[in-house]
Amino acid sequence: MGSQNKWTAADVPDQSGRVAVITGSNTGIGYHTALVLAEHGATVVLAVRDPEKGRAAAERIAKASPQAAVEVQRLDLSSLASVREAAEALSAAHPRIDLLINNAGVMYTPKQTTVDGFELQFGTNHLGHFALTGLLLPRMLPVQGSRVVTVSSMAHRIMAAIHFDDLQWEHGYNRIAAYGQSKLANLMFTYELQRRLAAKRKPTIAVAAHPGTANTELTRNLPPFLRPAERLLWPMVVQGAAMGALPTLRAATDTEVAGGQYYGPNGLGEQRGHPKLVEASKQAHDVELQQRLWAVSQELTGITFPV
């Protein structure tokens, strides 16, 4: 093992025999997470919106790692029908799932709604993953060492609150606050899921991670006023997607990880660096809010969990 404060992809233990489903894994952090898990022997399923891009990513992984077992599953998180279809196909193909990595996300999008009428960032980043997790959990609960890893963001602190009176931003819209709400929801979901798993004494754990400031396609919707700052500051704070994937990889594979933990970079302001245990905002730990969000998420998605 490398020293714990310089944890790298080389520290990922053997993943042979494990099945990992990773959302949004054809580019960026999701791709690098998939690549490393495949290199370490996992059967990796790229759950992506565009199967063609997914197949191209699978080919890149196979080139880098000829023995890799990589599959592609179409999944559009902004459609509950697509989430159900994907979950059915995955459950049929894989009697056991060891890892579900809720990685996909949209960021700072102009005001849009999903097919089901949810605000796009909340609908995709939180509700889509909430539904997918609930539907795949039966394949994970019997599996020793199984984990649900959900990727949040430092943005869970920025202008972030769960707007229960207007979850879908129908009365005014702020793309930064809406993103913050979705990423705060990712953490609250992780904590509430972990509490439920522990209460039922299940071997599955729920963990969260954030990549710091990573160079991915996510920033394509940055508001215009932030562009100059991005160009100026980006080279100083940003790290590559391979480094950005390390907190997720550690949360997914380090044998020391415990349920309800949160991993992020160890550098200044958690912007870059090697993964370490980090703290979420006080708000993210509010049990009453977590339970309220859980109840409303079940209502909106029509998904009830087996825990």
Side-chain angles (χ1 to χ4, degrees), residues 100 102 126 129-138 140-141 146-150 185-202 204-208 259-260 284 287 290-291 293-294 298 304-307:
L100 170 59
N102 292 322
H126 169 61
H129 281 128
F130 179 91
L132 182 68
T133 305
L135 292 166
L136 291 182
L137 218 45
M140 304 184 74
L141 292 177
S146 56
R147 298 180 189 186
V148 176
V149 179
T150 301
N186 287 154
L187 279 164
M188 290 183 161
F189 163 64
T190 297
Y191 296 141
E192 177 62 21
L193 176 58
Q194 175 55 32
R195 194 164 34 249
R196 287 161 173 260
L197 291 164
K200 291 270 193 222
R201 304 221 159 125
K202 297 295 183 186
T204 311
I205 60 170
V207 195
V287 175
Q290 290 165 9
Q291 291 174 341
L293 175 67
W294 187 280
Q298 285 200 142
T304 44
F305 277 60
V307 289

Side-chain angles (χ1 to χ4, degrees), residues 17-20 96-100 140 143-148:
R18 300 187 90 198
V19 174
R96 58 171 283 171
I97 294 173
D98 299 75
L99 282 176
L100 170 59
M140 304 184 74
V143 182
Q144 215 51 49
S146 56
R147 298 180 189 186
V148 176

Side-chain angles (χ1 to χ4, degrees), residues 36-92:
V36 171
L37 290 172
E39 283 172 346
H40 285 80
T43 294
V44 171
V45 183
L46 310 179
V48 296
R49 199 173 49 201
D50 183 337
E52 227 161 90
K53 286 182 180 173
R55 283 190 283 275
E59 277 165 28
R60 288 208 306 281
I61 292 172
K63 243 187 200 134
S65 193
Q67 81 298 343
V70 192
E71 300 166 16
V72 176
Q73 171 59 51
R74 187 184 177 276
L75 165 71
D76 180 355
L77 287 159
S78 69
S79 154
L80 289 175
S82 172
V83 171
R84 283 181 188 277
E85 270 167 41
E88 269 170 35
L90 288 166
S91 299

Side-chain angles (χ1 to χ4, degrees), residues 100-245:
L100 170 59
I101 299 180
N102 292 322
N103 162 82
V106 289
M107 176 175 165
Y108 299 161
T109 45
K111 173 116 203 254
Q112 292 166 59
T113 51
T114 68
V115 231
D116 305 291
F118 307 134
E119 184 274 316
L120 186 64
Q121 300 185 82
F122 186 69
T124 305
N125 300 353
H126 169 61
L127 292 172
H129 281 128
F130 179 91
L132 182 68
T133 305
L135 292 166
L136 291 182
L137 218 45
R139 288 284 179 264
M140 304 184 74
L141 292 177
V143 182
Q144 215 51 49
S146 56
R147 298 180 189 186
V148 176
V149 179
T150 301
V151 180
S152 182
S153 161
M154 293 188 291
H156 85 275
R157 300 175 181 276
I158 303 166
M159 296 169 67
I162 306 292
H163 299 266
F164 287 106
D165 54 345
D166 188 16
L167 278 175
Q168 313 308 340
W169 298 84
E170 285 152 326
H171 309 292
Y173 178 68
N174 179 312
R175 59 171 94 185
I176 294 172
Y179 182 65
Q181 170 176 270
S182 75
K183 293 284 115 183
L184 177 60
N186 287 154
L187 279 164
M188 290 183 161
F189 163 64
T190 297
Y191 296 141
E192 177 62 21
L193 176 58
Q194 175 55 32
R195 194 164 34 249
R196 287 161 173 260
L197 291 164
K200 291 270 193 222
R201 304 221 159 125
K202 297 295 183 186
T204 311
I205 60 170
V207 195
H210 83 80
T213 309
N215 188 11
T216 70
E217 285 182 11
L218 256 192
T219 54
R220 60 180 169 259
N221 293 306
L222 268 189
F225 70 90
L226 287 176
R227 294 247 174 245
E230 183 199 20
R231 279 194 292 275
L232 200 66
L233 297 171
W234 213 236
M236 291 188 281
V237 296
V238 78
Q239 58 183 4
M243 275 301 281

